[in-house]
């Protein structure tokens, strides 16, 4: 990958400086910007991050450029507020990040050998342990991550420590085992005798279902599939088809609530043919 031309690097630095200048003025003169705190921006940043993710999933580059700008503004806003409190400024943030990247890439900036992606990941996790003083490779997984994303990160970090299945076939076998164990919770024909027994059964089923999901995520990782992205694509596909069902049935004078499942399925199959995709 080539470095930017000198002219473009000058333009990039100038644009960064311009955003700093705009933020400085807004912070000083705009009532809304002046009122913001680290806490008040937090939920807005989360929303902007999801919008950025949405643009990536849709492969919408014009929208991606806009959303990157929104996220960049938020990052600089946090640094601006911190600088007002005498903690750090954006230069401290960027320099610290550069130092961290240099430290965690000894195969580039030092004499460590890392010829594969797996070597790089393994070195990265080991350096993070040394850097942060964690006693567990899983200590760096944020507790507030959504469960599906957290499962993926847990598995990736465990792999970095050498704890992983060797072949995808082994993971698929584990999926089948977990599916069978989950199914066993519903195999008994008789209902539980009392409410407490029913609650226990539900808890056991939930535990087995969690194991099944975890193993499916593990298999997706081995298959080179991002489960979060895959599930979001299916969500979008379902929304598209269901909205076709709603609009087409209304166009033909039907109330959705009055249709049988078989009648709904006719519209669903039409939606599948129109999109040219397999069923969700």
């Amino acid at each position: 990958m080539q470095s930017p031309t000198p002219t473009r690097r000058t333009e990039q630095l100038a644009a960064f400086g311009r955003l700093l200048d705009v933020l400085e003025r807004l912070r000083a003169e705009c009532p809304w910007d002046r009122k913001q705190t680290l806490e008040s921006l937090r939920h807005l940043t989360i929303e902007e991050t999801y919008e950025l993710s949405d643009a990536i999933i849709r492969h919408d580059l014009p929208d991606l450029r806009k959303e990157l700008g929104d996220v960049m503004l938020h990052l600089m806003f946090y640094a601006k507020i911190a600088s007002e409190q005498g903690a750090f400024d954006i230069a401290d943030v960027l320099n610290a990040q550069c130092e961290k990247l240099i430290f965690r890439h000894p195969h580039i900036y030092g004499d460590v050998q890392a010829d594969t992606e797996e070597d790089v990941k393994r070195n990265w996790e080991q350096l993070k342990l040394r850097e942060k003083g964690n006693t567990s490779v899983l200590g760096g997984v944020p507790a507030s991550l959504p469960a599906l994303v957290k499962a993926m990160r847990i598995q990736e970090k465990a792999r970095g420590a050498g704890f992983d299945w060797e072949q995808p076939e082994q993971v698929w076998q584990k999926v089948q085992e977990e599916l069978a164990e989950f199914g066993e919770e519903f195999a008994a024909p008789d209902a539980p005798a009392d409410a407490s027994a029913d609650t226990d059964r539900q808890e056991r089923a939930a535990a087995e279902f969690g194991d099944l999901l975890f193993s499916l995520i593990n298999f997706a990782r081995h298959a080179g599939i991002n489960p979060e992205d895959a599930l979001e694509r299916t969500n979008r596909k379902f929304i598209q088809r269901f909205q076709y069902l709603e609009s087409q049935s209304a166009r033909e004078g039907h109330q959705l609530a009055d249709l049988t499942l078989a009648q709904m399925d006719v519209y669903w199959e039409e939606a599948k043919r129109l999109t040219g995709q397999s069923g969700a």
Side-chain angles (χ1 to χ4, degrees):
M1 181 179 295
Q2 294 182 340
S3 300
T5 62
T7 300
R8 193 59 184 164
R9 176 52 58 86
T10 301
E11 293 172 352
Q12 291 169 347
L13 293 174
F16 195 81
R18 184 186 180 196
L19 182 55
L20 283 171
D21 292 340
V22 169
L23 181 58
E24 289 274 357
R25 182 170 183 181
L26 293 178
R27 184 67 171 168
E29 300 179 19
C30 174
W32 186 89
D33 289 276
R34 191 165 54 240
K35 184 180 178 181
Q36 298 313 303
T37 65
L38 297 175
E39 292 75 18
S40 69
L41 287 173
R42 177 180 173 275
H43 75 281
L44 298 175
T45 306
I46 294 172
E47 181 179 335
E48 294 294 352
T49 304
Y50 276 108
E51 291 178 0
L52 172 64
S53 175
D54 185 66
I56 293 172
I57 290 174
R58 291 184 285 104
H59 300 287
D60 188 336
L61 293 182
D63 199 33
L64 176 61
R65 179 175 65 179
K66 180 179 76 68
E67 299 301 341
L68 281 171
D70 291 340
V71 171
M72 179 69 73
L73 172 61
H74 277 244
L75 300 180
M76 295 175 68
F77 212 145
Y78 288 120
K80 171 61 179 171
I81 295 173
S83 71
E84 295 168 354
Q85 298 174 0
F88 56 82
D89 64 11
I90 192 64
D92 298 320
V93 172
L94 297 180
N95 282 324
Q97 183 65 23
C98 289
E99 293 302 324
K100 181 170 70 174
L101 288 173
I102 292 170
F103 176 74
R104 294 188 185 175
H105 289 78
H107 55 290
I108 302 298
Y109 295 96
D111 55 5
V112 172
Q113 189 75 17
D115 297 324
T116 68
E117 178 186 0
E118 289 302 318
D119 291 338
V120 173
K121 288 182 178 179
R122 191 176 301 109
N123 288 340
W124 181 279
E125 293 300 337
Q126 291 172 353
L127 288 168
K128 281 182 68 175
L129 278 175
R130 188 192 318 166
E131 184 182 70
K132 295 186 175 183
N134 289 333
T135 58
S136 169
V137 295
L138 303 183
V141 179
S144 60
L145 277 179
L148 193 151
V149 179
K150 185 190 292 185
M152 187 77 167
R153 293 296 295 132
I154 288 171
Q155 294 168 6
E156 289 173 342
K157 286 183 174 293
R159 179 176 178 80
F163 185 77
D164 199 7
W165 299 97
E166 295 179 354
Q167 300 296 330
E169 293 79 9
Q170 296 172 306
V171 190
W172 182 243
Q173 182 179 356
K174 184 63 176 176
V175 170
Q176 299 302 311
E177 291 175 5
E178 296 294 352
L179 181 60
E181 291 176 7
F182 175 63
E184 287 176 4
E185 294 299 329
F186 299 95
D190 298 328
D194 54 58
S196 63
D198 186 53
T199 300
D200 290 342
R201 185 184 184 189
Q202 288 291 335
E203 290 179 353
R204 291 196 305 271
E208 295 296 346
F209 188 68
D211 292 345
L212 175 59
L213 279 179
F214 194 85
S215 63
L216 279 170
I217 293 167
N218 208 1
F219 181 76
R221 181 174 58 84
H222 277 265
I225 298 170
N226 185 304
E228 174 74 17
D229 292 346
L231 181 58
E232 178 57 20
R233 290 191 184 99
T234 296
N235 288 340
R236 291 176 178 277
K237 184 166 57 177
F238 184 92
I239 290 171
Q240 181 184 30
R241 292 175 181 176
F242 190 82
Q243 288 178 340
Y244 175 86
L245 186 159
E246 291 177 310
S247 61
Q248 192 65 18
S249 61
R251 190 175 297 115
E252 296 180 4
H254 301 299
Q255 291 288 334
L256 194 61
D258 297 332
L259 296 177
T260 66
L261 187 58
Q263 290 172 318
M264 292 182 188
D265 195 53
V266 172
Y267 293 113
W268 187 266
E269 292 298 324
E270 289 178 3
K272 285 170 61 176
R273 287 195 297 273
L274 288 173
T275 57
Q277 297 172 334
S278 59

